[in-house]
Structures are given as C-alpha cells and as structure tokens.
Amino acid sequence: MLNPSGATPSGATVTSTLDLAEGLRDRRRYLRELDCARGLAILLVFLFHAWGLSSLQLPSSATPGLSLIAGGNTGVTLFFVLSGFLLSLPWLRHAADATQPKPLLAAYFKARALRIVPLYYIALLLTWLLTGNTATVARAALFQFVGFQAFPYSVVWWTLVTEVQFYLLLPVGMVLWTRGRWPRLLCIALLLAWAACYANLVLFGELASDKSFLLTKSVFARAPAFLAGIIAAAIWLRLLQAPAWSRQRQLARWGVLLLLLTALVLLERLLLAVTQMGTGAAESSWHIHHSYEAALWAVIILCLLLGNLPAKGLLVNRGLAIVGKLSYSLYLVHVPVLFYLIYPMRESMGAAAYHASGWLYLMPAAALALSLALSLASYQWLEKPFLRRKRALPV
C-alpha cells in the first residue's frame, strides 16, 4: 500500500523476487505510479514499433484508442517527462525544506552513470559483434547521435543521447534556480533565450534538413518534455505540503478523475492528428506537438499521484510496475526482437496475406514475451549489481 505521498511505509519491503524499490537510495520515496508510467511508456513504444514493422496503416475511420498504438512513440516523450520529474525532485525538496539533503553533484553523476552506461555499453558491444559496424558503435559509445546505421539495434539509441544531454544540463539549471535571486534571474534569462530560439526553429524554421532533424532529436527541441516533468514535480511537492489539499483530497478525487480522463482524451485526439498527418510530416512541420504531448503526460502523472481515483488500479498495479522496472532493458532489446520475428514472416507471406492472418497478432505477442524474458534476465544479471552500487551512494 502507498501512503498519501506515494511512498512505501517506513520499513516496508517488497517480498517478491523483483524488488521494485531496487536502486533507490531512500526506499521510503518509491512511487509506484511512476514505475507504472514507465511501464505504460515502454508498452506504447513497443506497440508503435510492432505497428511500423508490420507495415500497418491507420484506417480513415480509426477506432478510438488505435492512434495510441500507431502514435505510440509518444512513450518517448513520457520517458523524458518522467526523467524531468524524478531527477529534479532532490533539488526541489531541498529548495522547499533546507533540512532535506542537498544533492551532491558527484553522487548525482555517479548515479546516472551506474544506471545507464553499463547496459548501454553491453548493448553496443553485442551490436558490434553481430554487425561489425565499428564506426557507428564508436560514435554511439561517445553519445553521438546514431539513427538507422546499425538497424535494427540502433533505432532507439538517440534517446539515450538526449537523456545524457539533459543529465548534464539539469544540475546547472537547478543550482542557478536554488541559489538565490540573481542566479534565479539568470536561469530565467537563459530559459527565455532558449524559448525564443526554440519557437523560431519549431514554429518558423525548416526542419527537413539532416542537421535540423538531429536538432529536433536533441535536448534543445525536447526540453519542453523535461521542463514539463520538472514543473509537475514542483506542483506535486507544493500540493503535498498544502494543508487545504490534504483536507480536501477525498472531495477532489472526482475532479482529478475528470481531469485525468480529459487529458487522456486530448492525448488520443492529438496522436490521431499526428498519425493521420504521418509521423515524418508531423516531425518536420508540426514538431511542437511533442510539447503538447509532454504537457498532457505531465497532467496525467500528477493525476495519478494526487488522486485516490476510482479504478486507479487499471493504470497503477504491480504488473505494470514490473514492466516499468524492466523498461530500460526492454527498451534496448525490443526492436531487434520484433524485427527478426515479424520481418521474415511478413516478407515470406506478403504484406496483404500477413495482415489477414493470425500471425499479425501472434508475432508481436511472441516478441513481447521474448523481450520480457530477455529483459528480466538482463535486469537480474546485468542491471541489479549496478543498481545496488547506485543505492550505496549518498542520498
């Protein structure tokens, strides 16, 4: 059970073989809602790639919810929002209450490295052994952008580069924001300068060239997602500390439920517009839709955290939390698994016959089962030792 702040009760332990709080330096602050959001994010990304590799097209009269699959790359935006939320929390807590531990930069960077580098480098090593593509793997190892040069293994690598860029910028922004009036004004000035450049590129710029395409994948153009997460974290902490909110939590649950449902409907409509436009066209001519997605995901996360909602178990449950815990491994492995299961079958049968057969559903289901099995093995044998080292770092 979660207490009102979303944390596990003091002294509680997870008795199953997979400890959902593994790697946390303060287990009392584990938030199952965020693990479930991660699980939802990776499932959306998985379905998006399954849809694309199956060569499916969105029908003109799409059933409600189908756009969540065809536009499932919105899961990447959700991952970015979650990063902004979680990684800003220590600074925001310290800014709100000086008795809370002040984040240590050395511990912060060690924790980030222990979390992402080992498994990523193992994935790069396996890719190099399987493809012999030394140049691409070397670039990826230096956290440079790589697209389809090592397909299907490298499809998702670009997001890790964007994450690392955010990891480097976040401490700078947080230190400026929490150091007093003048540093905060400098932070605001830098944000305004970025916003002007972002608006010029996204609203008035041309995003068709290779150079600008890479820019749209970088933290420069994806910053709204991280900022949405940071703002959501600040709102969450403020509401938790507000006595009026604590007293009215039960009365507000139906309002929070209405807000959650509204955000979900708007997100579905937004993704429908994106998929009808075409992912490529939306990326170049309507890139700001990622910012709209981010704002809606931030609202959804806040609703899950703040509301004791009816039927909340549909989105917050142990199964989805486990998928969220395995999401990093699953993210790195799922595209190759999908490709090697779907592509040979689709090519041998022909696209039309494949779409009309049961294999259209069986192959993604088998890919999901295999990906989960590989991810569980990866988590237990590769990730967990580094998570435990991360847990030993100062809070």
Side-chain angles (χ1 to χ4, degrees), residues 115-250:
R115 184 66 189 102
I116 71 162
V117 171
L119 187 60
Y120 178 55
Y121 273 32
I122 289 170
L124 295 183
L125 176 61
L126 290 175
T127 301
W128 178 69
L129 293 173
L130 291 169
T131 67
N133 193 337
T134 303
T136 296
V137 171
R139 287 183 59 208
L142 296 174
F143 289 98
Q144 298 181 32
F145 280 107
V146 171
F148 294 92
Q149 295 93 321
F151 184 85
Y153 310 98
S154 62
V155 171
V156 301
W157 293 353
W158 71 268
T159 61
L160 297 177
V161 179
T162 306
E163 285 275 357
V164 167
Q165 292 172 350
F166 172 67
Y167 297 163
L168 296 174
L169 287 174
L170 177 66
V172 177
M174 287 290 101
V175 168
L176 289 175
W177 188 260
T178 58
R179 281 291 178 88
R181 179 184 177 187
W182 293 110
R184 180 171 293 193
L185 288 174
L186 175 59
C187 184
I188 293 172
L190 292 173
L191 285 172
L192 289 174
W194 161 79
C197 295
Y198 172 78
N200 182 63
L201 173 72
V202 172
L203 298 178
F204 311 112
E206 176 57 53
L207 305 181
S209 69
D210 290 340
K211 184 176 181 180
S212 58
F213 176 77
L214 289 178
L215 191 61
T216 64
K217 298 294 186 185
S218 71
V219 74
F220 172 84
R222 298 305 180 108
F226 296 109
L227 289 171
I230 295 170
I231 293 169
I235 293 172
W236 178 65
L237 288 177
R238 181 63 62 89
L239 287 177
L240 287 182
Q241 296 164 359
W245 175 261
S246 299
R247 291 193 300 268
Q248 299 172 10
R249 176 182 288 271
Q250 287 299 110

Side-chain angles (χ1 to χ4, degrees), residues 271 333 350:
L271 295 178
V333 78

Side-chain angles (χ1 to χ4, degrees), residues 43-391:
L43 289 177
L44 287 170
V45 172
F46 179 93
L47 291 171
F48 170 74
H49 287 129
W51 178 277
L53 288 168
S54 299
S55 296
L56 291 169
Q57 300 293 325
L58 197 69
S60 56
S61 57
T63 57
L66 191 59
S67 58
L68 290 172
I69 298 174
N73 58 339
T74 187
V76 172
T77 301
L78 176 51
F79 277 128
F80 291 160
V81 174
L82 287 167
S83 289
F85 189 105
L86 280 166
L87 296 183
S88 65
L89 275 178
W91 276 281
L92 294 174
R93 284 194 176 107
H94 179 72
D97 181 359
T99 64
Q100 295 292 319
K102 182 179 180 180
L104 303 175
L105 289 180
Y108 164 82
F109 285 116
K110 287 178 183 177
R112 292 300 87 217
L114 287 170
R115 184 66 189 102
I116 71 162
V117 171
L119 187 60
Y120 178 55
Y121 273 32
I122 289 170
L124 295 183
L125 176 61
L126 290 175
T127 301
W128 178 69
L129 293 173
L130 291 169
T131 67
N133 193 337
T134 303
T136 296
V137 171
R139 287 183 59 208
L142 296 174
F143 289 98
Q144 298 181 32
F145 280 107
V146 171
F148 294 92
Q149 295 93 321
F151 184 85
Y153 310 98
S154 62
V155 171
V156 301
W157 293 353
W158 71 268
T159 61
L160 297 177
V161 179
T162 306
E163 285 275 357
V164 167
Q165 292 172 350
F166 172 67
Y167 297 163
L168 296 174
L169 287 174
L170 177 66
V172 177
M174 287 290 101
V175 168
L176 289 175
W177 188 260
T178 58
R179 281 291 178 88
R181 179 184 177 187
W182 293 110
R184 180 171 293 193
L185 288 174
L186 175 59
C187 184
I188 293 172
L190 292 173
L191 285 172
L192 289 174
W194 161 79
C197 295
Y198 172 78
N200 182 63
L201 173 72
V202 172
L203 298 178
F204 311 112
E206 176 57 53
L207 305 181
S209 69
D210 290 340
K211 184 176 181 180
S212 58
F213 176 77
L214 289 178
L215 191 61
T216 64
K217 298 294 186 185
S218 71
V219 74
F220 172 84
R222 298 305 180 108
F226 296 109
L227 289 171
I230 295 170
I231 293 169
I235 293 172
W236 178 65
L237 288 177
R238 181 63 62 89
L239 287 177
L240 287 182
Q241 296 164 359
W245 175 261
S246 299
R247 291 193 300 268
Q248 299 172 10
R249 176 182 288 271
Q250 287 299 110
L251 294 175
R253 63 189 299 218
W254 294 104
V256 174
L257 177 61
L258 179 61
L259 181 61
L260 173 63
L261 293 176
T262 301
L264 288 171
V265 170
L266 290 175
L267 179 64
E268 194 273 338
R269 293 291 91 185
L270 174 65
L271 295 178
L272 179 61
V274 170
T275 52
Q276 287 177 337
M277 180 182 295
T279 303
E283 197 71 17
S284 61
S285 62
W286 195 37
H287 191 273
I288 199 170
H289 77 269
H290 291 301
S291 299
Y292 303 150
E293 290 174 31
L296 291 170
W297 279 124
V299 170
I300 291 168
I301 290 170
L302 278 173
C303 290
L304 293 177
L305 286 169
L306 292 171
N308 183 20
L309 306 175
K312 183 176 177 178
L314 294 174
L315 289 175
V316 180
N317 54 71
R318 181 164 178 80
L320 198 55
I322 289 173
V323 175
K325 196 66 177 178
L326 302 177
S327 61
Y328 185 32
S329 299
L330 190 55
Y331 187 69
L332 289 174
V333 78
H334 78 278
V335 176
V337 172
L338 277 167
F339 175 77
Y340 287 115
L341 284 181
I342 290 176
Y343 183 77
M345 181 70 69
R346 193 195 77 197
E347 289 301 295
S348 63
M349 295 178 63
Y354 179 76
H355 294 164
S357 72
W359 295 113
L360 177 67
Y361 306 99
L362 289 175
M363 285 295 98
L368 180 59
L370 179 56
S371 296
L372 284 169
L374 291 172
S375 299
L376 181 59
S378 169
Y379 177 82
Q380 294 287 1
W381 298 333
L382 299 176
E383 290 184 73
K384 187 183 287 187
F386 291 100
L387 286 174
R388 289 178 172 173
R389 292 184 64 182
K390 174 176 171 284
R391 187 177 63 197

